Amino acid sequence: MSDHALDTPFGFTTLGRCPDTRARRGRLQTGHGAVETPVFMPVGTVGSVKAVTFEQVWATGSRLILGNTYHLYLRPGHQLIERAGGLHRFQGWDGALLTDSAGFQVFSLNELNRITEDGVEFRSHLDGSRHFFSPELSMEIQLALGSDIVMAFDQCAPYGADRREVERAVERTTRWLGRCRDVFGGRTARGGWERVLFGIMQGGVHEDLRRRSAAEIVALDLPGYAIGGLSVDEPTPAMREMTELAADLLPADKPRYLMGVGFPDDILASVAAGVDMFDCVLPTRMARTGTVLTRDGRLVVKNQEYAEDALPLDPDCRCPVCARHSRAYIRHLFQAREILASTLATLHNLHFYQDLMAGIRLALDEGRFADHARQVGARWTEGEERRLADVRRRGL
Amino acid sequence: MSDHALDTPFGFTTLGRCPDTRARRGRLQTGHGAVETPVFMPVGTVGSVKAVTFEQVWATGSRLILGNTYHLYLRPGHQLIERAGGLHRFQGWDGALLTDSAGFQVFSLNELNRITEDGVEFRSHLDGSRHFFSPELSMEIQLALGSDIVMAFDQCAPYGADRREVERAVERTTRWLGRCRDVFGGRTARGGWERVLFGIMQGGVHEDLRRRSAAEIVALDLPGYAIGGLSVDEPTPAMREMTELAADLLPADKPRYLMGVGFPDDILASVAAGVDMFDCVLPTRMARTGTVLTRDGRLVVKNQEYAEDALPLDPDCRCPVCARHSRAYIRHLFQAREILASTLATLHNLHFYQDLMAGIRLALDEGRFADHARQVGARWTEGEERRLADVRRRGL
């Protein structure tokens, strides 16, 4: 991994704008190196991007990854990680690190949670033990982890919640953001590098609530903002529409982060709407169940039809897995339940996402993003439609 | 991975001899590159060295690995691998490859086997289906796999078998070796490289049977010979004594391969007895259960006592895992059941074995092997004794 300056202040620079869409090309400067945007962050849930080494993650081109506060709090515990010198050092990742706030997990992984103005009481998904998360505890944990980007503790109303519930979540998210900012303290992490706090917008699929949430969080003039409460089972058109609206409501000079999105076509559309940062478990989680991503849509490589297929996972991919291995071999590894199956599929999928983002950035640099997004999006969508037609035809 | 000459004939050259022991420093020339001996072969059972990529295996310094005929015959099948261009190409390994004969597995993994002069009937450990292995089928499979070194189909009597049973296994192994040689054919594999057949000595812990087996197989003047039937639960002194005897009975100008051995102290003693080649599942299998090897003996890194241990797995190790990660981190990965736990522990253990062999070769080159073996062996043994005393003290 490369060197990085620990003494560089956090910053976001817009390097260029698409002449046809709201897409922008930018650079995030962090205490652990520069990150070119639009950027996709692989998810390293509990101290590991599942099934791959951090050297391998770095080699895919990833320079910013996400760690999960909820999971690391439960195991091995943020205090242990703090004593070990913080999460970068504990897990051996030299790049930049964003931690989520645990807000999403305490609502989504815990059906028996109890929400009050103070915070959320929930039971651990590991052993059922009782825990209480507040904005203050979320900050305490994330500051102990020592991430470069700290996310505010928000309340995400589930899709389908009634308008009044979404409104209450917006109001609480604003109040909790104030509490997060109050305990966040100075911008210098214990390790010496700059850390920053990002606010999160809520509002579900309600335009007026999105506007209200945006106005309230933007008033705090934070170094970056996230769009929360999307990719929670709402229909794709609603997600796309809300992303366009939400991105436009956030300041142009701050990075915009769309949480938990998504498939390549969603990413292309969201970049066009002005989003700069993405994270999703999709490439890593799908890999472990035997599904890989190609320029022509998903490929379920563990299927029988690939038993003797000598092609690489994606013939247009230049990743080390596609350079060396066939679909037949990787399908065999899944059949034989070899650990290497998950590793190779994950490596390919992470390369696929980083190549997708590198292609987007290059197209932005060369002023041809709109065409590029149309072509890449159409090829993906046609591939997905062929796959779905094939699945239906075979009655699978 | 580096280039290699496919047109080099197979050969074994002795580069030097230890002035104090029977150890020798040599080089195996194969159709997939040169292999410095004494050499340790990682085991790639079913098309994968478990939990690591072949790039990672190569980076440990491994240039010759072992594939299991029995497992590959059952899944994905040798014919599929042959259609894919052979095992090197199917699994993406550019180095040299030795395949075992399946003899050991059909006897050890199958309690319900039935042995006749023709071969062995057994049930698959995967689905209970019936199969019949003969010397001819073992050759057919290994030739289809396209390995550089093909092992003869032998009969390994279990430890504790009575003398008459061991004698019958020796006799049958000799007859089966003749049949293997008869169907082995020319030395050119379908891929164009040279392949060679190694014979296997049996005889259990009986000196006269070892002498008889050696005389009978050496008479065939094969390019290399293995010592089989050891490391099958016999006491260590018997194993060491038989290894010394057996190595001495094999021709000095042919490589000697001690199958399935073993721990570092066993390897040091066997090199001193004149053994050139080793394989063992120990580094890869132990890794996946949370045990790593250090210069001071085994370390059960998944134990609670390492929860906050900031040291690397082995402070004297220069492998990439020890350069980047602490015991505390790897212990956490085992606790959280992360795939990366197995990968990092396997990588370290494979590096440990390759470093052990590199140290042996360097000491041989510099004429100080006897001292080196004493020091390395004493440090390992003292570490193991401390560990065992500690386990007893704590009543574990």
Side-chain angles (χ1 to χ4, degrees), chain A residues 87-144:
Chain A
L87 185 55
H88 291 88
R89 190 168 179 184
F90 180 66
Q91 66 189 10
W93 169 248
D94 297 336
L97 193 56
L98 177 149
T99 42
D100 66 5
S101 67
F104 185 75
Q105 282 77 21
V106 298
F107 294 111
S108 66
L109 293 182
N110 298 275
E111 305 207 340
L112 295 171
N113 59 60
R114 199 171 62 86
I115 308 167
T116 64
E117 185 60 24
D118 257 10
V120 187
E121 187 182 277
F122 65 96
R123 287 174 178 278
S124 158
H125 74 289
L126 295 176
D127 61 6
S129 56
R130 279 177 194 279
H131 299 266
F132 183 81
F133 254 70
S134 63
E136 290 76 15
L137 180 61
S138 175
M139 291 301 103
E140 182 188 323
I141 297 169
Q142 292 185 73
L143 298 186

Side-chain angles (χ1 to χ4, degrees), chain A residues 1 46-48 50 52 54-56 75-76 83 90-92 308 324-325 329 332 335 338-340, chain B residues 1 46-48 50 52 54-56 75-76 83 90-92 308 324-325 329 332 335 338-340:
Chain A
M1 303 191 189
V46 60
S48 154
K50 287 186 193 296
V52 291
F54 281 110
E55 282 93 340
Q56 288 169 328
R75 191 166 60 188
R83 286 192 296 270
F90 180 66
Q91 66 189 10
E308 302 225 16
R324 182 172 293 276
H325 299 297
Y329 174 64
H332 157 68
Q335 285 295 110
E338 286 289 317
I339 289 173
L340 188 57
Chain B
M1 303 190 191
V46 60
S48 153
K50 287 188 192 297
V52 292
F54 282 110
E55 283 92 341
Q56 289 170 328
R75 191 165 59 187
R83 287 192 295 271
F90 180 66
Q91 66 188 11
E308 302 225 16
R324 182 172 292 275
H325 299 298
Y329 175 64
H332 158 67
Q335 285 295 110
E338 286 288 318
I339 289 173
L340 187 57

Side-chain angles (χ1 to χ4, degrees), chain A residues 29 33 42 61 81 142 170 187 217 241 267 292 358 382:
Chain A
Q29 189 62 49
I81 292 175
Q142 292 185 73
V170 164
R187 281 170 63 152
I217 64 173
E241 188 191 332
I267 288 183
V292 295
E382 283 159 24

Side-chain angles (χ1 to χ4, degrees), chain B residues 179-391:
Chain B
R179 284 164 57 186
C180 286
R181 193 208 36 191
D182 290 347
V183 296
F184 183 73
R187 280 170 64 150
T188 305
R190 280 157 215 170
W193 56 87
E194 262 219 344
R195 65 189 183 204
V196 293
L197 175 66
F198 276 24
I200 303 177
M201 185 204 297
Q202 289 294 340
V205 292
H206 305 276
E207 181 176 334
D208 62 327
L209 296 180
R210 285 279 163 189
R211 288 187 185 278
R212 177 174 167 193
S213 181
E216 290 175 358
I217 63 173
V218 167
L220 272 71
D221 192 27
L222 294 167
Y225 290 98
I227 303 163
L230 292 180
S231 199
V232 288
D233 295 334
E234 75 281 3
T236 296
M239 194 251 278
R240 297 259 175 103
E241 188 192 334
M242 279 301 122
T243 300
E244 280 182 33
L245 171 76
D248 210 39
L249 293 170
L250 292 173
D253 61 341
K254 304 285 175 71
R256 301 166 181 150
Y257 163 27
L258 178 57
M259 304 179 88
V261 173
F263 277 103
D265 49 346
D266 295 326
I267 288 183
L268 289 161
S270 304
V271 166
V275 172
D276 309 297
M277 301 167 65
F278 299 90
D279 80 285
C280 195
V281 294
L282 199 149
T284 42
R285 185 171 293 168
M286 289 206 324
R288 298 195 303 284
T289 64
T291 295
V292 296
L293 296 132
T294 79
R295 281 146 186 82
D296 295 298
R298 278 172 274 189
L299 186 138
V300 187
V301 68
K302 70 177 174 184
N303 283 354
Q304 165 66 27
E305 64 186 297
Y306 302 112
E308 302 225 16
D309 193 330
L311 286 175
L313 295 175
D314 180 347
D316 286 343
C317 179
R318 293 179 311 266
C319 87
V321 179
C322 287
R324 182 172 292 275
H325 299 298
S326 65
R327 295 168 178 174
Y329 175 64
I330 293 168
R331 193 254 172 189
H332 158 67
L333 294 178
F334 274 105
Q335 285 295 110
R337 295 187 190 81
E338 286 288 318
I339 289 173
L340 187 57
S342 291
T343 300
L344 295 183
T346 300
L347 268 180
H348 167 80
N349 280 358
L350 289 178
H351 271 284
F352 177 88
Y353 266 79
Q354 296 304 336
D355 287 353
L356 174 71
M357 304 315 289
I360 288 172
R361 291 192 298 265
L362 184 63
L364 282 167
D365 285 337
E366 297 178 349
R368 53 176 179 77
F369 170 74
D371 272 357
H372 177 79
R374 249 192 310 273
Q375 283 165 21
V376 172
R379 186 172 168 190
W380 167 268
T381 304
E382 282 161 23
E384 281 285 276
E385 282 167 0
R386 272 198 306 275
R387 185 181 61 82
L388 289 169
D390 193 47
V391 167

Side-chain angles (χ1 to χ4, degrees), chain A residues 205-216:
Chain A
V205 292
H206 305 277
E207 181 177 334
D208 62 326
L209 295 181
R210 286 278 164 192
R211 288 185 186 279
R212 178 175 166 192
S213 182
E216 291 175 357

